[in-house]
Amino acid sequence: MLAEIFFLCLISYLIGSIPFGVLLAQAQNIDIRTQGSGNIGATNVARVLGKKSGLLTLFGDLLKGLVVVFGTGLQYDKPIIIALAGLMVFLGHLYSIFLKFKGGKGVATSLGLFSYIMPWATLCAVVVFSACLWISGFVSISSMMAAISLPLFAIYFKLPLPYIYLAVIVGLLTLQRHFDNILRLIEGTEAKFLEK
C-alpha cells in the first residue's frame, strides 16, 4: 500500500510539473519567464501572447489538477489519499522538476483539483474571485481572496477534514506565492487584468 501511495504521489507531482505556459510560449520562440511579470501562469501568458494562449494555459493547468484527483478518486475512496494526490499535483506546479523546481502560483491547478473534490465550495470561491476581479481589476487580489475564502466554504459545507486541511495548505502557499504581487500592490505598480 505504501508503495502504491508513493507511486501515486510521484505521478501526481510529475503531472503537476508540466509547464503548459512555458511550452506554449516556447512554441512561439518566447521564454515566458523573461516576459511581463515572469510568471508562467495564464494571466501573464495572456498579457504576453494573447487571450487564446492564456486560455489554453488556463485549461491545461486546470486540467492537470482535475485529472489527478479524478483518477485518484476512481481508484481510492479515501479522502486523505485523494487530498494527498491533490497536494502533490499542486506542489508539482509550484516547484516543477522541469523548471529546476520553480513554477507558477498554482491558482488554475488548484481550481481544477478543488472543482472535483469540493464543487460547491469551489463555486462559492469562484464567485468571490469574480466579484473581486470586477471590483478591483486585479487577478492577484482576486486569487488571494478566493484562496482565503475556500477553506471557510469547505468548513461551512462540512467537508471531510483532509479536504479542509488541503484547502488551508493550498491557501497559505497561494498567499506566499503572491508575495511579490502584494509588494507591487503596495507600491502601486501591479498590473490590472490584461493591462500591458
Side-chain angles (χ1 to χ4, degrees):
M1 184 67 177
L2 287 176
E4 285 184 20
I5 293 176
F6 175 79
F7 183 72
L8 171 66
C9 289
L10 178 61
I11 293 299
S12 300
Y13 170 78
L14 290 175
I15 292 174
S17 291
I18 300 171
F20 286 102
V22 173
L23 294 174
L24 282 168
Q26 283 181 346
Q28 300 182 45
N29 296 316
I30 294 174
D31 185 352
I32 196 66
R33 294 166 294 180
T34 64
Q35 303 292 319
S37 67
N39 190 261
I40 66 171
T43 301
N44 192 47
V45 172
R47 288 197 191 108
V48 176
L49 302 177
K51 292 182 182 179
K52 182 179 179 181
S53 294
L55 285 173
L56 287 173
T57 301
L58 176 66
F59 180 75
D61 287 343
L62 187 151
L63 188 63
K64 63 187 182 184
L66 177 61
V67 164
V68 164
V69 291
F70 177 75
T72 303
L74 290 178
Q75 188 170 2
Y76 303 96
D77 60 356
K78 294 182 179 180
I80 190 168
I81 296 179
I82 297 171
L84 182 60
L87 177 61
M88 292 309 297
V89 71
F90 180 75
L91 291 177
H93 183 82
L94 266 59
Y95 308 104
S96 172
I97 193 172
F98 305 120
L99 302 177
K100 298 180 179 178
F101 299 102
K102 295 181 180 179
K105 294 181 171 67
V107 175
T109 302
S110 63
L111 174 61
L113 70 93
F114 283 123
S115 65
Y116 175 75
I117 64 175
M118 51 175 76
W120 288 111
T122 302
L123 179 61
C124 292
V126 168
V127 170
V128 170
F129 175 92
S130 301
C132 290
L133 184 61
W134 183 74
I135 293 169
S136 71
F138 293 108
V139 172
S140 54
I141 291 177
S142 307
S143 299
M144 288 186 283
M145 292 304 297
I148 291 169
S149 69
L150 184 61
L152 302 178
F153 289 126
I155 293 170
Y156 175 79
F157 286 108
K158 299 179 181 178
L159 295 171
L161 280 177
Y163 294 165
I164 295 174
Y165 293 148
L166 177 62
V168 170
I169 293 170
V170 167
L172 291 173
L173 286 171
T174 299
L175 293 177
Q176 185 269 328
R177 299 293 282 194
H178 280 83
F179 180 74
D180 289 341
N181 300 88
I182 294 171
L183 292 179
R184 289 196 294 268
L185 286 164
I186 294 172
E187 296 168 353
T189 58
E190 176 77 338
K192 290 194 174 183
F193 183 53
L194 295 185
E195 182 178 84
K196 295 292 185 181

